[in-house]
């Protein structure tokens, strides 16, 4: 995956390579952006660029022993800190400071990377703050977070902020495909469901996810064919999948993709269709509908998250939606 780093975040990677080549790195960077978009890989790539013996204008070779040791997290001058349990504790920051006071084990330079930096306890953050205020030697810090608003302003002000952009759909699909865990159809659906690689991986690996997708399709297909059993499907087939609020939101999200797919198919924008597995049936159904019916269907579905926020039960929302959609598609 690392080899794809420059391709995935090409602009930022090139920016940092130039800083390395021109020796213009500052002491501390705060890398922000959604989960799973490669902040950690980016920080490690930069560390490799700094230590690489064969670096080409700041770009690491990725094969020399320095690059390899960083990749394997075995480089004595590149220290990684991640939450232990729910938080990053002050002892972890003390350990970091102790490591750094030794000055570079093999060189004068040291790098540290703090993952999920928002999880630092107040004590840990204050301890780090002192360190950032009196940087000793050639230290470069990378704080990573997907929750910028949870980082102490005093920390933010000591760091240069770098926003790591979200992956494009194509990049996300390539990453999901590379895991080898998902079929082509699943990759397509997950990439339409979220922008985050981590969220996509978690959803795709969630127990019962494929069955839920199949169940929702059957329910929707019954509505398209004006089958009365679609109403009963809600209680009998869909509700058993609901354990918590997240499940409820996921179901509404998937249904919104179904309604949207009808529109995409109608306008032949096939590359964005989420439920590609059922493309033939979607196409067939959309042929029999007028554009305004399809648009009305999307609008009906879009009102459902608001109903959920108003504490209407999911079963009520879906039963009501079933009737409305049937009316809409068969008027
Ligand atoms: Zn190298």
């Amino acid at each position: 995956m690392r080899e794809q780093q420059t391709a995935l975040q090409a602009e930022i990677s090139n920016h940092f390579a130039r800083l390395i080549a021109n020796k213009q790195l500052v002491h501390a960077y705060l890398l922000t952006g959604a989960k799973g978009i490669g902040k950690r890989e980016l920080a490690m790539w930069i560390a490799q660029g700094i230590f690489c013996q064969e670096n080409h204008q700041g770009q690491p070779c990725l094969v020399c022993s320095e690059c390899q040791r960083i990749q394997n997290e075995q480089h004595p001058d590149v220290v990684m800190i991640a939450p232990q349990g729910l938080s990053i504790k002050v002892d972890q920051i003390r350990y970091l400071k102790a490591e750094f006071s030794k000055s570079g084990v093999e060189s004068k330079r040291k790098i540290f990377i703090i993952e999920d930096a928002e999880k630092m306890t107040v004590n840990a953050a204050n301890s780090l703050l002192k360190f950032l205020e009196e940087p000793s030697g050639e230290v470069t810090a990378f704080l990573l977070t997907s929750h910028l608003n949870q980082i102490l302003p005093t920390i933010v002000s000591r760091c240069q902020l770098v926003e790591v952009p979200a992956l494009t759909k194509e990049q996300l699909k390539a990453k999901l495909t590379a895991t080898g865990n998902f079929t082509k159809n699943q990759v397509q659906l997950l990439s339409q469901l979220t922008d985050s690689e981590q969220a996509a991986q978690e959803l795709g690996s969630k127990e019962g996810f494929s069955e839920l997708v199949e169940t929702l399709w059957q329910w929707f297909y019954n509505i398209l064919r004006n089958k009365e059993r679609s109403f009963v499907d809600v209680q009998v087939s869909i509700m058993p999948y609901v354990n918590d609020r997240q499940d409820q939101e996921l179901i509404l999200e998937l249904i919104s993709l179904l309604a949207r797919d009808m529109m995409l198919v109608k306008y032949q924008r096939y590359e964005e269709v989420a439920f590609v597995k059922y493309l033939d049936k979607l196409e067939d159904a959309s042929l029999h509908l007028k554009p305004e019916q399809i648009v009305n269907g999307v609008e009906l579905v879009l009102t459902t998250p608001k109903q959920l926020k108003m504490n209407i039960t999911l079963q009520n929302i879906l039963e009501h939606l079933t009737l409305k959609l049937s009316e809409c598609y068969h008027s």
Side-chain angles (χ1 to χ4, degrees):
M1 207 173 283
R2 189 76 47 75
E3 298 74 51
Q4 297 168 8
Q5 185 58 41
T6 43
L8 282 175
Q9 297 292 351
E11 212 170 304
I12 293 192
S13 299
N14 290 336
H15 169 70
F16 274 102
R18 278 195 298 276
L19 295 178
I20 294 167
N22 299 331
K23 302 198 188 313
Q24 289 173 329
L25 285 173
V26 300
H27 279 298
Y29 291 94
L30 183 53
L31 306 185
T32 79
K35 267 189 184 298
I37 56 175
K39 295 187 293 292
R40 185 175 187 273
E41 289 85 352
L42 177 65
M44 290 179 76
W45 186 88
I46 299 165
Q48 287 173 317
I50 291 168
F51 283 102
C52 178
Q53 296 153 339
E54 310 283 334
N55 99 36
H56 177 68
Q57 294 178 342
Q59 311 250 3
C61 72
L62 304 179
V63 292
C64 73
S65 65
E66 296 285 289
C67 284
Q68 288 292 317
R69 282 198 297 171
I70 292 170
Q71 179 156 353
N72 300 328
E73 296 182 35
Q74 287 168 347
H75 198 292
D77 293 328
V78 179
V79 180
M80 313 270 303
I81 300 268
Q84 284 177 353
L86 291 174
S87 61
I88 296 174
K89 302 180 177 67
V90 68
D91 284 346
Q92 291 177 269
I93 303 296
R94 285 193 188 124
Y95 159 78
L96 185 76
K97 285 161 106 170
E99 281 295 296
F100 279 75
S101 62
K102 291 178 197 162
S103 86
V105 175
E106 297 188 4
S107 68
K108 280 188 301 181
R109 189 175 265 291
K110 282 212 157 232
I111 308 242
F112 67 89
I113 300 170
I114 301 185
E115 290 184 71
D116 298 327
E118 78 281 355
K119 298 215 169 110
M120 280 188 285
T121 62
V122 174
N123 283 343
N126 284 330
S127 178
L128 179 72
L129 202 55
K130 285 198 197 112
F131 186 57
L132 293 177
E133 279 166 355
E134 325 155 349
S136 51
E138 288 183 83
V139 171
T140 308
F142 293 96
L143 278 63
L144 319 182
T145 186
S146 41
H147 300 281
L148 181 60
N149 56 354
Q150 292 171 22
I151 304 253
L152 287 180
T154 41
I155 297 260
V156 177
S157 68
R158 292 288 180 283
C159 300
Q160 188 159 323
L161 198 62
V162 177
E163 281 179 47
V164 183
L167 300 178
T168 65
K169 292 284 180 217
E170 289 314 310
Q171 289 169 335
L172 177 58
K173 282 189 220 172
K175 281 196 147 201
L176 292 175
T177 304
T179 64
N181 295 334
F182 308 111
T183 65
K184 208 171 164 230
N185 287 340
Q186 285 171 325
V187 166
Q188 176 66 19
L189 177 69
L190 291 168
S191 72
Q192 297 302 320
L193 202 51
T194 172
D195 290 332
S196 150
E197 185 198 355
Q198 184 166 338
Q201 293 238 38
E202 281 171 9
L203 280 173
S205 324
K206 193 176 150 90
E207 206 194 323
F209 179 73
S210 303
E211 292 83 355
L212 172 63
V213 168
E214 179 75 30
T215 299
L216 288 175
W217 162 256
Q218 282 305 334
W219 164 78
F220 190 67
Y221 192 43
N222 282 334
I223 294 176
L224 288 174
R225 291 178 300 163
N226 213 8
K227 303 265 186 204
E228 271 178 38
R229 65 155 300 163
S230 59
F231 188 84
V232 186
D233 280 345
V234 172
Q235 189 186 354
V236 174
S237 307
I238 301 177
M239 291 312 291
Y241 286 96
V242 181
N243 292 310
D244 53 29
R245 183 75 176 204
Q246 267 186 330
D247 294 338
Q248 300 181 350
E249 287 167 1
L250 174 63
I251 285 170
L252 295 185
E253 197 67 43
L254 285 164
I255 292 174
S256 77
L257 289 179
L258 280 165
R260 192 188 71 149
D261 276 358
M262 290 291 288
M263 190 145 78
L264 292 169
V265 166
K266 188 83 179 167
Y267 293 101
Q268 297 169 1
R269 285 169 52 185
Y270 300 114
E271 68 284 358
E272 292 165 65
V273 171
F275 286 74
V276 269
K277 188 175 169 190
Y278 311 104
L279 189 59
D280 291 350
K281 287 172 176 148
L282 284 165
E283 247 183 329
D284 190 48
S286 82
L287 278 178
H288 298 97
L289 294 176
K290 296 192 214 74
E292 51 271 30
Q293 286 175 297
I294 292 176
V295 171
N296 288 344
V298 172
E299 281 171 358
L300 284 170
V301 172
L302 288 181
T303 60
T304 57
K306 206 164 139 196
Q307 294 167 5
L308 195 62
K309 281 204 184 85
M310 289 160 62
N311 287 327
I312 303 175
T313 68
L314 184 71
Q315 186 173 335
N316 278 341
I317 294 171
L318 295 184
E319 285 175 350
H320 182 72
L321 180 67
T322 306
L323 298 177
K324 285 285 179 189
L325 277 178
S326 302
E327 236 175 76
C328 165
Y329 289 152
H330 303 284
S331 56

